[in-house]
Amino acid sequence: MTSKSAAAAARATVYGYPRQGQDRQLKKAIEGYWKGRVTADALLATAAELRRTNWQHLSGAGLHEVPTGDFSFYDHVLDTTVMVGAVPERHRAAVEADALDGYFAMARGTQDVAPLEMTKWFDTNYHYLVPELGPDTVFTADARKPVAELKEALALGLTPRPVLVGPVTYLLLAKPAPGVAADFVPLTLLDRLLPVYAEVPADLRAAGAEWVQLDEPALVQDRTPAELNAATRAYRDLGGLADRPQLLAATYFDRLGEALPILAKAPVEGLALDFTGPAAANLEALAAVGGLPGKRLVAGVVDGRNIWVNDLEKSLATLGTLLGLADRVDVSASCSLLHVPLDAAAEKDIDPHILRWLAFARQKTAEIATLATGLSKGTDAVNGQLAANRAALASRATSPITRDPAVRSRAAAVSDADVRRSQPYTERVAAQRTRLDLPLLPTTTIGSFPQTSELRTARADLRTRVIDAAGYEDRIKAEIREVISYQEKAGLDVLVHGEAERNDMVQYFAEQLTGYLATRHGWVQSYGTRYVRPPILAGDISRPEAMTVRWTTYAQSLTSKPVKGMLTGPVTMLAWSFVRDDQPLGETARQVALALRDEVADLEAAGTAVIQVDEPALRETLPLRAADHAAYLAWATAAFRLTTCGVRPDTQIHTHMCYAEFGDIVQAIDDLDADVISLEAARSRMQVAHELASHGYPREAGPGVWDIHSPRVPSAEEAAALLRTALEAIPAERLWVNPDCGLKTRGWPETRASLESLVTAAHAVRGELSGS
């Protein structure tokens, strides 16, 4: 039993909370504003109500301190760009004319002005807007948003803690602005930025903040001596200020490593650490540096990124150990709860026996409150919760749902031959070119076409039995006919069926595989107003029957041009799901790969000449520490090859990746042994094409020429200019022409106009290459 006197100060808190609302009210309000159906005042009122609801729930659930400033209309890193006055020059006029419209223009672009680049937030599926900085950047403090939200929480009688992206992480996430030398290092602007991080917390203190949290997740990555010295200087200077609130430096997603003694010794009042997964190593490391005498430790012992119930007794043991390492130990999730759905109780379709294994954001706040109570008052005070938790853990551990002997036997029998193509690329490429007979610079799309309201209505009608399966199939076939007809008229060379039948690129497959659970309301923000419902990978995986073959073969029957078979790869199936935590990821990936291998075989047997297996999550799932990379990439690339290597030499395997930093995984991309890879490249100005060239990548590639995450339509000359840049790195005989990503989120008018530009650009550059 924990000593009451030793733990009397324990408090419960979180670093952030889902923004969207139970019914995705924020998404609907923002998209309504973009379409002119919702006024700015109405949008602001919706946002204020969502913040109030969240804070009151957190307080009512037993949390002693609520986060403010974590709410965002699009992205919290973009909010930080506004807060520090780093608005790119091309967007300044729009921001000055109308702050809200200018904010959205930075995120989405306009027809005349490109948006900021977007990429993955560390190893999550959340995307942030990359700050653009240069030697001439001038920072100015704008604390209006964090101060206003702080005052809202104070007016409700709550104890708020403003949360800001820390200065070191902000600069490490930034890139050189367009026109700035590529070797410019944004971290050199630290001394220029720190006065802003003195002024904003001072403004928050004046408005009533006792504590301000500065998030520094970039410090859990491998950092150079110069970067660690910058962190030392930043927190020495900020901690030395007289007019400031108490500061809580927060890190999450992994072990802190070399930066731990820096933050432990910094003159700040508190440190927040992750103690889940690989970050559990923080406990031993914290003891090794002498703990945090005289300081507050916020211990992230509840996993903020997965949805399984916490082992409360194990967490209490960890917290008990930590009591001797800090002046005060408080309890939190490992990171912001932004990365999990809102409420498991809303999932009425999941078997109650299984539902008790799950903890979404609301359940996690209850776990945190229970742990804080147990730490402060002893385990007798939470005996009921501990007993229920033990029962839930035992139920999951012994459930037959989690183990299928046939699946495990097949996975154990995989051999080296199963993960190698029968011929090397240099030999099979000739057979593929003969079979496909494509022109120079072949054009294609990534897979999905616009998901119209009519398609969503058809799925809803099927679910509510307004139409039967035959009626639904007729609607999907009609959409496929339209998509194929349009692509032929547009002049695309390799076609897709458009994925009209798919609700999501992971969920669609998960619903047809054993071992997965689907949610009805488990929405999680991916970027802006794009929300996904990650399925839950609860047991062993197999494929009872073919999943895509009938739609692909139907599409192929409508055209003489090749139609790609479209699958989601095993790593992405894991990364964009809530994956089981009771066995190594590599074992689960092998099971998924074998199920997909069966689908690839059936597509090939049905005559599909081009099969695309998307792996956009390969880079985002890369561990944050370099020491962990090799083991991850070994099983990840092997899982892809296990999926794809059973095909004939003349079957062309494609893959696709988007919105990540690819430079440090080019060797892994090579190891996939895909015949063609398409990659996001438009916002980053073809950076990845040069990274492939520097590596000596020997296969075909399609760096995207159209940024599909912006509503703007590129001109044919813009697309042609990007193609010419790509040709500086990739020979014409190995270069494909395609968008950055799938077109599901775009409307038909902009899709038609943009693809017309893409095809026109390809024809123009072909002409230049042929001299005609």
Side-chain angles (χ1 to χ4, degrees):
M1 182 185 300
T2 303
S3 164
K4 295 183 181 180
S5 59
R11 297 180 184 177
T13 189
V14 294
Y15 309 151
Y17 204 67
R19 301 160 178 164
Q20 69 269 23
Q22 183 65 56
D23 298 314
R24 291 181 294 158
Q25 298 97 308
L26 185 62
K27 168 188 172 69
K28 295 169 186 176
I30 292 172
E31 292 180 350
Y33 177 74
W34 291 342
K35 295 174 182 177
R37 296 198 297 256
V38 173
T39 66
D41 286 344
L43 173 58
L44 295 174
T46 296
E49 176 62 20
L50 287 170
R51 290 193 294 270
R52 183 190 66 80
T53 299
N54 285 348
W55 291 329
Q56 290 183 331
H57 163 73
L58 291 171
S59 177
L63 269 64
H64 305 91
E65 192 178 48
V66 300
T68 64
D70 61 303
F71 180 89
S72 179
F73 281 117
Y74 206 97
D75 166 47
H76 56 276
V77 180
L78 180 60
D79 295 346
T80 307
T81 292
V82 174
M83 184 190 79
V84 303
V87 174
E89 183 61 35
R90 67 184 182 280
H91 287 289
R92 284 194 177 275
V95 171
E96 290 168 0
D98 186 298
L100 188 58
D101 287 346
Y103 174 90
F104 286 131
M106 286 190 285
R108 305 172 71 231
T110 66
Q111 187 53 44
D112 300 319
V113 184
L116 277 70
E117 183 181 343
M118 184 166 66
T119 195
K120 296 293 175 71
W121 175 249
F122 298 93
D123 58 347
T124 75
N125 189 33
Y126 178 82
H127 302 66
Y128 73 93
L129 278 302
V130 181
E132 298 177 356
L133 306 177
D136 298 327
T137 298
V138 175
F139 297 112
T140 55
D142 181 355
R144 287 176 293 179
K145 177 184 182 294
V147 166
E149 293 178 11
L150 168 69
K151 289 181 176 179
E152 289 176 17
L154 286 169
L156 294 171
L158 305 175
T159 302
R161 185 186 68 255
V163 178
L164 309 175
V165 175
V168 179
T169 289
Y170 180 75
L171 293 175
L172 290 172
L173 293 177
K175 282 188 172 184
V180 172
D183 61 355
F184 173 73
V185 179
L187 192 59
T188 59
L189 300 175
L190 180 63
D191 290 337
R192 204 180 298 177
L193 179 62
L194 285 179
V196 171
Y197 276 87
E199 185 174 342
V200 172
D203 289 344
L204 289 165
R205 178 176 182 267
E210 297 179 13
W211 285 84
V212 168
Q213 177 176 320
L214 297 176
D215 282 0
E216 293 287 7
L219 295 181
V220 307
Q221 297 173 296
D222 298 307
R223 290 297 164 199
T224 66
E227 291 165 343
L228 293 171
N229 287 337
T232 302
R233 190 170 77 254
Y235 283 88
R236 178 198 65 203
D237 292 357
L238 293 175
L241 296 169
D243 182 21
R244 66 170 179 83
Q246 297 183 90
L247 296 178
L248 177 70
T251 67
Y252 38 82
F253 297 149
D254 210 323
R255 55 201 183 273
L256 191 49
E258 304 89 338
L260 178 55
I262 292 171
L263 294 183
K265 296 174 184 176
V268 298
E269 289 72 25
L271 181 59
L273 292 174
D274 184 351
F275 291 97
T276 65
N282 277 331
L283 194 156
E284 184 177 344
L286 185 62
V289 299
L292 300 173
K295 293 187 179 183
R296 175 189 188 187
L297 171 64
V298 180
V301 293
V302 172
D303 190 345
R305 295 180 56 179
N306 213 333
I307 46 68
W308 304 108
V309 295
N310 183 262
D311 185 334
L312 295 180
E313 290 179 320
K314 181 179 178 181
S315 292
L316 280 172
T318 298
L319 292 166
T321 303
L322 291 170
L323 281 176
L325 297 177
D327 184 60
R328 185 173 106 205
V329 176
D330 293 334
V331 186
S332 183
S334 60
C335 61
S336 170
L337 297 179
L338 172 72
H339 306 290
V340 295
L342 187 59
D343 187 6
E347 300 303 327
K348 307 301 184 185
D349 297 338
I350 296 180
D351 184 336
H353 174 77
I354 298 173
L355 193 63
R356 64 177 177 160
W357 305 347
L358 309 181
F360 293 179
R362 288 189 176 175
Q363 288 71 39
K364 289 180 185 294
T365 60
E367 291 179 334
I368 292 164
T370 295
L371 290 168
T373 300
L375 187 62
S376 297
K377 300 181 179 180
T379 53
D380 287 348
V382 291
N383 266 342
Q385 294 95 319
L386 293 179
N389 180 248
R390 281 193 297 270
L393 294 171
S395 167
R396 182 181 172 213
T398 59
S399 173
I401 295 171
T402 63
R403 297 183 70 85
D404 182 331
V407 171
R408 290 176 177 262
S409 176
R410 185 184 181 197
V414 170
S415 68
D416 289 343
D418 293 323
V419 295
R420 289 196 306 269
R421 293 287 293 267
S422 61
Q423 290 183 1
Y425 172 76
T426 52
E427 296 178 15
R428 65 184 188 256
V429 63
Q432 293 168 15
R433 289 177 178 173
T434 298
R435 182 179 183 185
L436 295 173
D437 192 26
L438 298 173
L440 196 66
L441 306 182
T443 56
T444 190
T445 63
I446 303 305
S448 62
F449 264 69
Q451 287 271 320
T452 63
S453 58
E454 291 80 8
L455 285 173
R456 289 189 289 271
T457 298
R459 277 197 288 274
D461 287 349
L462 178 65
R463 192 166 54 247
T464 57
R465 300 183 181 178
V466 173
I467 59 175
D468 59 14
Y472 177 72
E473 184 160 332
D474 287 344
R475 292 194 191 183
I476 297 301
K477 284 184 174 180
E479 184 70 18
I480 291 173
R481 288 194 298 272
E482 181 178 346
V483 168
I484 293 294
S485 175
Y486 166 71
Q487 291 174 92
E488 288 193 312
K489 291 175 184 174
L492 290 163
D493 300 307
V494 175
L495 313 188
V496 297
H497 79 287
E499 303 180 10
E501 78 286 1
R502 302 185 190 183
N503 46 13
D504 175 83
M505 66 181 291
V506 171
Q507 184 181 352
Y508 173 78
F509 293 99
E511 290 175 346
Q512 300 182 75
L513 296 170
T514 65
Y516 269 102
L517 304 174
T519 68
R520 182 69 63 87
H521 304 285
W523 297 103
V524 176
Q525 187 180 21
S526 179
Y527 64 87
T529 61
R530 168 71 168 146
Y531 289 83
V532 295
R533 280 184 296 163
I536 297 167
L537 207 166
D540 288 343
I541 302 298
S542 62
R543 186 200 71 147
E545 59 186 14
M547 302 178 287
T548 67
V549 176
R550 62 174 173 151
W551 303 117
T552 305
T553 54
Y554 176 70
Q556 187 64 77
S557 74
L558 303 173
T559 179
S560 60
K561 291 187 174 183
V563 176
K564 290 193 282 190
M566 300 297 307
L567 305 176
T568 301
V571 176
T572 301
M573 287 294 297
L574 267 61
W576 294 359
S577 302
F578 292 115
V579 71
R580 61 191 300 179
D581 59 356
D582 58 348
Q583 68 181 23
L585 281 174
E587 292 183 18
T588 307
R590 179 175 289 195
Q591 292 180 5
V592 177
L594 286 168
L596 294 172
R597 184 183 178 97
D598 293 342
E599 188 73 12
V600 168
D602 285 350
L603 283 166
E604 184 181 58
T608 305
V610 181
I611 301 172
Q612 181 168 309
V613 180
D614 290 345
E615 282 291 20
L618 182 70
R619 172 60 182 84
E620 83 181 41
T621 314
L622 186 72
L624 297 178
R625 289 283 181 177
D628 303 325
H629 288 184
Y632 159 72
L633 291 171
W635 67 252
T637 56
F640 180 89
R641 294 194 307 274
L642 181 58
T643 300
T644 59
C645 282
V647 299
R648 303 192 312 260
D650 65 346
T651 296
Q652 190 173 73
I653 295 294
H654 287 224
T655 192
H656 168 68
M657 298 181 191
C658 57
Y659 294 95
E661 301 297 322
F662 301 112
D664 50 1
I665 62 160
V666 176
Q667 181 58 56
I669 292 173
D670 198 348
D671 291 343
L672 296 177
D673 199 23
D675 301 301
V676 182
I677 183 169
S678 56
L679 299 129
E680 172 272 325
R683 286 198 189 187
S684 60
R685 303 177 292 281
M686 289 290 157
Q687 175 181 326
V688 70
H690 294 281
E691 291 169 344
L692 292 174
S694 296
H695 173 77
Y697 186 75
R699 301 174 194 83
E700 299 174 34
V705 298
W706 165 25
D707 171 20
I708 67 89
H709 290 290
S710 169
R712 69 184 301 273
V713 175
S715 68
E717 182 47 45
E718 281 181 71
L722 285 172
L723 280 178
R724 296 184 192 104
T725 300
L727 282 166
E728 295 172 4
I730 301 172
E733 63 272 15
R734 290 197 280 113
L735 183 64
W736 285 63
V737 184
N738 46 258
D740 273 346
C741 201
L743 309 179
K744 176 181 177 179
T745 61
R746 299 271 56 92
W748 266 108
E750 64 206 78
T751 294
R752 291 188 182 96
S754 298
L755 287 177
E756 181 180 337
S757 293
L758 183 150
V759 172
T760 300
H763 282 282
V765 176
R766 282 176 196 161
E768 294 168 10
L769 292 170
S770 66
S772 59

